[in-house]
Amino acid sequence: NLMGREKRKTDYLLSLIREGKSMTLKQQLRLTMYLSTPAIMAQVSSIAMQYIDASMVGSLGANAAASIGLVSTTTWLFWGLCAAATTGFSVQVAHRIGAGDFAGARKILRQSVTATLVFSSLLAVAGISISDILPGWLGGDEMIWSDSSLYFRIFSLFLPALQLNFLAGGMLRCSGNMRVPSMLNVLMCLLDVVLNFFLIFPTRQIDWWGWEFTTPGAGLGVKGAILGTVLAEFVTTVGMMWYLCRRSPMLRLSGERGSFRPRKDTLRKAVRISLPMGFEHIAICGAQIATTVIVAPLGITAIAANSFAIIAESLCYMPGYGISEAATTLVGQSLGANRIRLLRRFANITVWSGMLIMGVMGALMYAAAPQIIGVMTPVEEIRTLGVEILRIEAFAEPMFAASIVAYGVFVGVGGTFMPSLMNFGSIWGVRLTLAARFAPTMGLPGVWLAMCIELCFRGTIFLVRLWGSNWIYKLRIKR
């Protein structure tokens, strides 16, 4: 079948990297497409899940939407820390696979399971501990504190499952298997829709194409939204870990003995890669939380519009993150095979592809902004404000793509410190400064104008670093 043929072609093209054989430009482009397409599907399905959550909760009114929007930046902070912890190990696996050392890759995998579970469990305890006071810290209206706290508490409780989901997906992708994680993430999205349908709304009468019937429901509102999400994630995690440990040709652990105790050298390398990313996520999400504090005094309408627009924009930039994952795999395996020239070609191919796709997505987002926001809320004031700010952001998408994909390239070589510092400086030095200046006079559109300017600046400095020769030269010396 088609999927089987594509898998065989992908495996063959990846083997050319490991075996040191030459690759034509056509083969490089084809391999980039084979890896990027399922990764994009996985990213889009993840955002579609958030989009569906927001649409269903948004139908309950502005308060319900604002209660989720208030803590969304903090959930992304915890999400980012889990992702950073995973990357420290998956990049090492990509390097081992590129060098043809599959046994070494499996050793790192076993160690990563223990290390990341300990980390995510500690993170879950921290999240549960602050859940009651978090909405007050963020400056939200007292009317939404209870729902916001409950939403974040349940999210935190399931962090270990989310961590294993990230770990299994990251390991499979670094081995070149984009298809299975993508299919399971699409399944997670569909499962989330079904669970939300029954958990958020009460039992009700539905008229569907002239047929009226009673649909059972738990009527849990905001609580139902997060329960549907975490349960869908849990089921997907089970499937992802099963495939990784029992079916993956390169990484399966079944029938093989080995220690799950982390070794110092593996942990040291993981920390070197993950720590800058972790601090970057803290800095970026701290800036997003600071932005929430700037937006919160503007009122519930502004909070809800800001939350909806962030989710809607995610549909635009998720393809960039999908290509970034492909870039990490391609660059990581090229480095493991000590093919520096091929590494640079893949870096350029993936960055240009990301800029092109996200440029088109930005144009579509500008044109369809009323329909995109309209699906998520029936409140006219929120719709109007959401459309206005979404159209401001559309102009930044190509340069945003440049920063996203170039970052994936630098992650693939394990050089995360300088890119993380660049992200930190751009967001705190440009975005927050401008947002604090524009918000008092321009309101929420001023905050999003600041974001647009900052993303264009960030994309520029990432391109300057990527196209400069210094980082490649240092990589040659290191090898």
Side-chain angles (χ1 to χ4, degrees):
N1 56 35
L2 179 61
M3 294 182 65
R5 287 198 301 271
E6 287 190 0
K7 181 181 183 302
R8 288 191 293 272
K9 290 177 182 177
T10 302
D11 291 343
Y12 168 71
L13 292 172
L14 285 171
S15 71
L16 297 181
I17 298 177
R18 295 193 298 271
E19 295 168 7
K21 296 180 179 178
S22 62
M23 295 183 71
T24 65
L25 177 61
K26 183 177 180 180
Q27 287 175 321
Q28 294 166 26
L29 289 170
R30 185 177 297 167
L31 179 56
T32 301
M33 182 189 69
Y34 286 156
L35 294 181
S36 296
T37 301
I40 291 172
M41 288 175 57
Q43 291 290 339
V44 170
S45 68
S46 174
I47 291 304
M49 185 169 65
Q50 296 181 39
Y51 188 85
I52 292 163
D53 279 355
S55 301
M56 290 182 171
V57 174
S59 66
L60 302 177
N63 283 0
S67 67
I68 295 178
L70 183 66
V71 296
S72 61
T73 48
T74 315
T75 60
W76 292 339
L77 167 61
F78 281 51
W79 177 92
L81 291 175
C82 289
T86 293
T87 304
F89 294 99
S90 61
V91 169
Q92 293 184 66
V93 167
H95 294 171
R96 293 294 182 94
I97 290 175
D101 182 10
F102 300 148
R106 290 191 291 272
K107 288 180 182 178
I108 293 173
L109 169 59
R110 282 193 292 270
Q111 297 171 57
S112 70
V113 172
T114 303
T116 56
L117 271 180
V118 171
F119 174 77
S120 59
S121 296
L122 294 174
L123 204 59
V125 171
I128 293 170
S129 300
I130 67 170
S131 59
D132 285 334
I133 55 179
L134 181 62
W137 283 355
L138 298 176
D141 193 291
E142 289 188 24
M143 291 187 297
I144 63 175
W145 282 9
S146 178
D147 279 344
S148 289
S149 295
L150 181 61
Y151 185 94
F152 189 74
R153 190 179 306 119
I154 295 173
F155 165 82
S156 299
L157 183 64
F158 279 81
L159 277 174
L162 180 65
Q163 178 75 81
L164 288 179
N165 192 331
F166 286 160
L167 182 67
M171 292 295 178
L172 288 172
R173 283 188 287 270
C174 281
S175 73
N177 187 339
M178 300 289 188
R179 183 173 56 91
V180 170
S182 300
M183 291 173 61
L184 288 173
N185 277 309
V186 171
L187 175 63
M188 179 172 67
C189 180
L190 296 175
L191 184 59
D192 183 52
V193 173
V194 174
L195 290 172
N196 281 349
F197 185 78
F198 292 107
L199 292 175
I200 293 177
F201 304 105
T203 300
R204 61 207 182 278
Q205 288 290 124
I206 291 182
D207 185 351
W208 188 68
W209 293 85
W211 293 84
E212 289 191 5
F213 54 92
T214 301
T215 301
L220 298 178
V222 171
K223 181 180 179 181
I226 186 60
L227 282 175
T229 298
V230 297
L231 290 174
E233 287 174 347
F234 180 80
V235 172
T236 307
T237 297
V238 172
M240 200 91 75
M241 287 298 295
W242 176 85
Y243 187 92
L244 173 67
C245 296
R246 297 189 65 86
R247 297 293 301 276
S248 172
M250 299 177 187
L251 297 174
R252 62 185 173 205
L253 303 179
S254 58
E256 180 180 273
R257 292 184 178 182
S259 173
F260 282 80
R261 182 178 179 178
R263 295 176 54 183
K264 286 185 180 180
D265 59 335
T266 303
L267 284 177
R268 190 181 299 114
K269 291 177 183 178
V271 169
R272 181 175 58 82
I273 295 169
S274 295
L275 194 60
M277 296 181 71
F279 279 124
E280 177 210 4
H281 281 298
I282 292 172
I284 290 177
C285 291
Q288 291 174 332
I289 291 171
T291 303
T292 301
V293 173
I294 294 173
V295 171
L298 301 177
I300 287 178
T301 297
I303 295 174
N306 186 64
S307 176
F308 288 142
I310 288 172
I311 295 171
E313 191 215 355
S314 301
L315 292 171
C316 200
Y317 65 66
M318 279 302 108
Y321 280 104
I323 296 173
S324 179
E325 290 181 357
T328 298
T329 299
L330 292 167
V331 166
Q333 293 202 18
S334 296
L335 177 62
N338 200 24
R339 303 188 65 180
I340 305 301
R341 185 176 297 178
L342 183 62
L343 182 157
R344 183 143 203 172
R345 286 202 294 268
F346 278 130
N348 287 325
I349 288 171
T350 52
V351 168
W352 279 114
S353 298
M355 293 179 69
L356 176 62
I357 292 174
M358 281 182 56
V360 173
M361 294 292 290
L364 293 175
M365 182 174 72
Y366 186 95
Q371 291 75 26
I372 294 172
I373 296 294
V375 170
M376 291 190 284
T377 176
V379 182
E380 185 59 34
E381 293 84 356
I382 298 176
R383 285 184 177 183
T384 302
L385 187 56
V387 169
E388 182 180 357
I389 61 178
L390 200 59
R391 283 179 165 169
I392 292 172
E393 190 71 4
F395 293 96
E397 295 306 315
M399 296 307 290
F400 191 15
S403 67
I404 291 171
V405 183
Y407 186 84
V409 170
F410 297 132
V411 169
V413 300
T416 57
F417 176 74
M418 186 55 67
S420 297
L421 191 63
M422 290 161 62
N423 276 330
F424 169 79
S426 181
I427 291 179
W428 280 87
V430 179
R431 181 186 300 189
L432 279 183
T433 302
L434 293 178
R437 183 180 180 88
F438 293 162
T441 55
M442 299 176 63
L444 189 60
V447 175
W448 279 69
L449 177 60
M451 190 187 306
C452 178
I453 294 171
E454 183 271 323
L455 290 175
C456 291
F457 171 78
R458 199 195 315 177
T460 300
I461 61 176
F462 266 90
L463 288 178
V464 169
R465 177 170 174 78
L466 180 72
W467 291 337
S469 59
N470 286 344
W471 72 280
I472 290 290
Y473 174 77
K474 291 178 181 178
L475 189 61
R476 287 180 180 272
I477 296 298
K478 180 180 177 182
R479 297 297 294 176

